[in-house]
Amino acid sequence: MDVFVNQYEWIRRTREVLFRYCESMSQSDYVRELESFGGGSIRSLHVHVADCYRVWLGSRGLGQALPKITADSAINVKEMRRIFQKTDDIVHEFLNKFQGNWDKTIQVSFEEGDSTEISALWLFTHTVTHEFHHKGQIVKIGRQLGYTPPDTDLIGS
């Protein structure tokens, strides 16, 4: 049993609860940009989360050349699910590659020209905590739009 594969399955379960919540919203609310969130929308937060996995795990961790995902990549939750299915493939590839070798460091370069060494465990932890941070924002936006959120913690998943 690989603990990180199992952990990611729990993360996917909470994401599914969040997707079902978003499907209960009107299409216009899913893509509504709110000034109180810096002009962001629930859709843009979903895109940002998927892109974080792709950049940190796919591009930096696995060395894959992956295009950036933009808000226009998905107009609704159904299309966002497809993006996350592809993202899940990248995460599983990353988990398989580094299984049992979480201290392995990877040279990571940034657009500004800086670089550093980051462990595989740091990369995975960063992407997971990043998703949960934005999951909270998505729930808060939904609440502001008048939707009652479900329990998106692990207890209900």
Side-chain angles (χ1 to χ4, degrees):
M1 168 183 88
D2 185 278
V3 69
F4 294 121
V5 170
N6 287 344
Q7 181 184 30
Y8 190 67
E9 287 308 308
W10 282 107
I11 292 162
R12 289 180 63 210
R13 288 180 188 177
T14 64
R15 186 186 304 142
E16 177 57 30
V17 172
L18 193 62
F19 278 146
R20 286 195 307 264
Y21 173 57
C22 292
E23 287 170 334
S24 75
M25 300 174 183
S26 70
Q27 171 61 27
S28 62
D29 283 343
Y30 183 67
V31 302
R32 183 183 315 266
E33 296 178 355
L34 297 162
E35 281 305 312
S36 60
F37 276 88
S41 66
I42 293 173
R43 172 184 64 175
S44 65
L45 288 171
H46 265 145
V47 164
H48 177 66
V49 167
D51 202 47
C52 178
Y53 279 111
R54 293 167 57 87
V55 168
W56 285 98
L57 302 186
S59 296
R60 292 180 175 140
L62 297 170
Q64 298 175 353
L66 298 169
K68 183 168 178 60
I69 302 172
T70 65
D72 295 335
S73 302
I75 61 168
N76 57 39
V77 179
K78 182 178 180 179
E79 290 179 4
M80 192 60 66
R81 284 176 181 274
R82 281 197 284 269
I83 288 171
F84 270 95
Q85 286 171 348
K86 292 176 185 173
T87 302
D88 290 341
D89 292 341
I90 293 166
V91 173
H92 284 292
E93 185 177 344
F94 181 87
L95 293 173
N96 287 332
K97 178 175 181 174
F98 293 101
Q99 182 179 12
N101 197 15
W102 296 107
D103 290 334
K104 179 172 175 52
T105 57
I106 300 148
Q107 187 70 31
V108 174
S109 298
F110 301 97
E111 292 175 0
E112 309 84 42
D114 296 337
S115 67
T116 191
E117 286 195 2
I118 298 175
S119 73
L121 179 58
W122 186 96
L123 287 168
F124 182 66
T125 302
H126 171 68
T127 55
V128 167
T129 58
H130 178 261
E131 178 170 5
F132 273 68
H133 163 71
H134 288 300
K135 177 181 70 137
Q137 290 181 322
I138 289 169
V139 168
K140 179 126 181 151
I141 290 171
R143 192 182 304 274
Q144 285 183 352
L145 293 173
Y147 297 91
T148 302
D151 183 353
T152 60
D153 292 329
L154 292 174
I155 302 250
S157 300

